[in-house]
Amino acid sequence: MSRSHPSIHPVDLAAAPSTAAPGEENIYPPMRLRMKDIQGMPGTCMSLVLRAFQFLFAAISLSVMASTSDFPSVTAFRYLVAAVSLQTLWSLSLGIVDIYALLVKRCLRNSIIVALFTMGDGITSTLTFAAACASAGITVLISNDFNSCAQNHCTRFETATAMAFMSWFVVSPSFFLNFWSLASR
Amino acid sequence: MSRSHPSIHPVDLAAAPSTAAPGEENIYPPMRLRMKDIQGMPGTCMSLVLRAFQFLFAAISLSVMASTSDFPSVTAFRYLVAAVSLQTLWSLSLGIVDIYALLVKRCLRNSIIVALFTMGDGITSTLTFAAACASAGITVLISNDFNSCAQNHCTRFETATAMAFMSWFVVSPSFFLNFWSLASR
């Protein structure tokens, strides 16, 4: 991770201005303020929470859709499975990066990292949203236009579609916060 | 249009520093440079071209889909008609605003206007993209999974869907340029 940089640098204690009262030992280096550290940007607790929910919703959507026996007969449902699989992997990877950044207290404010995260979030969220819309179209066609829910797993299709929409809904803040931090530097 | 401001202000010619050679009449006020006037932002020629293409593609999609007799039987196709109608109206309105801004040489760099345009572009592009994805799901279901193009207007459905995708593709630069200019101020 040579692209990240430590948020706390070793400080020459003799040279640093003393903020401790006389007699008290000054063991902490002065706090450095990080600029524009908005919650939800990479390396923050909120970002980790967002990633966890993205992963959770995408994983539920994947497992519900994969549990139906007849999803491979419809192209849109096969595409949904592919899209939420990619979303699951992406959110898991970024969640691990966030945990690492929180544990070693490194801030991921490098513009190349943020550009990479923004592109990845943009691509995966667009794919998930497209898959969710296509599945929603098919689900509405089966349940409302054909009225053939008796022969089909309508409830499971609807659950999988709703979870894919939820996953997209939670990816969007990550994407917009990254895009904002990229544009506002 | 009290929210916009003229890019050329009336200047007190006696007070302005003379840039004309002696004997030549100084009839032009000094040029003012506009900051960050990226082509594609509101009030530029490129923005007008983008709006024209958005309107064109959305209008083609609307007319092709409306020309099929059986589109009201499928929910996703009805939704596509509604979404591209909204896109047509939005792009036409913003195109007229761009023409006005170009004619009277007003720059639309006000943050309230840009925020309004960004929200509008975001909403209409999301709706158009969702409708295009849902229609694409149905079209692929009819043509590939059911193989029933003989009874349906597959070509027209595909054309309308493709035009809706093209319209979304041309709205995206407008949205991202507006969002960028909003974030980078």
Side-chain angles (χ1 to χ4, degrees):
Chain A
M1 290 297 279
S2 64
R3 289 288 177 202
S4 67
H5 53 88
S7 54
I8 297 170
H9 290 280
V11 177
D12 184 1
L13 287 181
S18 177
T19 52
E24 208 181 313
E25 210 178 336
N26 186 359
I27 51 167
Y28 300 109
M31 284 291 285
R32 295 174 79 238
L33 280 176
R34 279 196 260 163
M35 278 181 72
K36 293 176 191 164
D37 204 353
I38 300 171
Q39 281 296 317
M41 286 180 178
T44 59
C45 287
M46 196 61 205
S47 170
L48 184 61
V49 173
L50 284 175
R51 296 293 171 197
F53 275 104
Q54 289 162 23
F55 173 77
L56 194 73
F57 289 130
I60 294 173
S61 174
L62 177 62
S63 46
V64 169
M65 187 52 94
S67 72
T68 61
S69 54
D70 50 355
F71 86 86
S73 60
V74 179
T75 309
F77 292 159
R78 286 206 301 272
Y79 173 47
L80 181 78
V81 168
V84 292
S85 303
L86 183 69
Q87 184 67 61
T88 309
L89 290 176
W90 173 257
S91 295
L92 187 66
S93 318
L94 280 256
I96 291 168
V97 170
D98 275 341
I99 291 172
Y100 169 79
L102 284 171
L103 283 181
V104 303
K105 296 208 186 344
R106 271 164 180 268
C107 68
L108 303 169
R109 226 42 28 93
N110 183 295
S111 70
I112 296 169
I113 289 185
V114 175
L116 195 75
F117 288 180
T118 308
M119 274 195 291
D121 276 333
I123 292 167
T124 54
S125 71
T126 308
L127 291 178
T128 305
F129 184 61
C133 289
S135 297
I138 306 283
T139 308
V140 170
L141 185 83
I142 293 171
S143 61
N144 286 23
D145 302 334
F146 290 171
N147 281 315
S148 60
C149 269
Q151 299 98 303
N152 292 285
H153 307 286
C154 275
T155 318
R156 287 196 200 171
F157 293 154
E158 279 161 11
T159 310
T161 305
M163 286 298 135
F165 271 117
M166 293 291 288
S167 183
W168 165 75
F169 197 73
V170 189
V171 180
S172 302
S174 295
F175 170 68
F176 281 109
L177 279 169
N178 283 339
F179 194 78
W180 188 278
S181 83
L182 200 66
S184 62
R185 70 180 50 248
Chain B
M1 293 297 280
S2 63
R3 287 290 176 202
S4 67
H5 52 88
S7 54
I8 298 170
H9 290 280
V11 177
D12 183 0
L13 289 182
S18 178
T19 51
E24 212 180 310
E25 210 178 339
N26 187 359
I27 51 168
Y28 299 108
M31 285 291 286
R32 295 174 79 238
L33 280 175
R34 279 196 260 165
M35 277 182 72
K36 292 179 190 162
D37 204 354
I38 300 171
Q39 282 295 319
M41 287 179 176
T44 58
C45 286
M46 196 61 205
S47 170
L48 184 60
V49 172
L50 285 174
R51 295 295 171 196
F53 275 104
Q54 291 162 21
F55 174 75
L56 194 74
F57 289 131
I60 294 174
S61 174
L62 176 61
S63 46
V64 169
M65 187 54 93
S67 72
T68 61
S69 55
D70 51 354
F71 85 87
S73 60
V74 179
T75 309
F77 292 158
R78 287 204 301 272
Y79 173 47
L80 181 78
V81 168
V84 291
S85 302
L86 182 70
Q87 183 66 62
T88 309
L89 290 176
W90 173 256
S91 296
L92 187 65
S93 318
L94 280 256
I96 291 168
V97 170
D98 276 340
I99 291 173
Y100 170 79
L102 284 171
L103 284 180
V104 304
K105 297 208 184 341
R106 272 166 179 268
C107 68
L108 303 168
R109 224 48 24 94
N110 183 293
S111 71
I112 298 169
I113 287 186
V114 176
L116 195 76
F117 288 179
T118 308
M119 274 195 290
D121 276 333
I123 292 167
T124 55
S125 70
T126 308
L127 290 178
T128 305
F129 184 60
C133 290
S135 297
I138 306 282
T139 309
V140 170
L141 185 83
I142 294 172
S143 61
N144 286 21
D145 302 334
F146 289 172
N147 281 317
S148 61
C149 270
Q151 300 98 300
N152 292 285
H153 307 286
C154 275
T155 318
R156 287 196 199 171
F157 294 156
E158 279 161 12
T159 309
T161 306
M163 286 297 136
F165 271 118
M166 291 293 287
S167 183
W168 166 73
F169 196 74
V170 189
V171 180
S172 302
S174 294
F175 171 68
F176 280 109
L177 279 169
N178 283 340
F179 194 78
W180 188 276
S181 84
L182 200 66
S184 61
R185 68 181 53 248

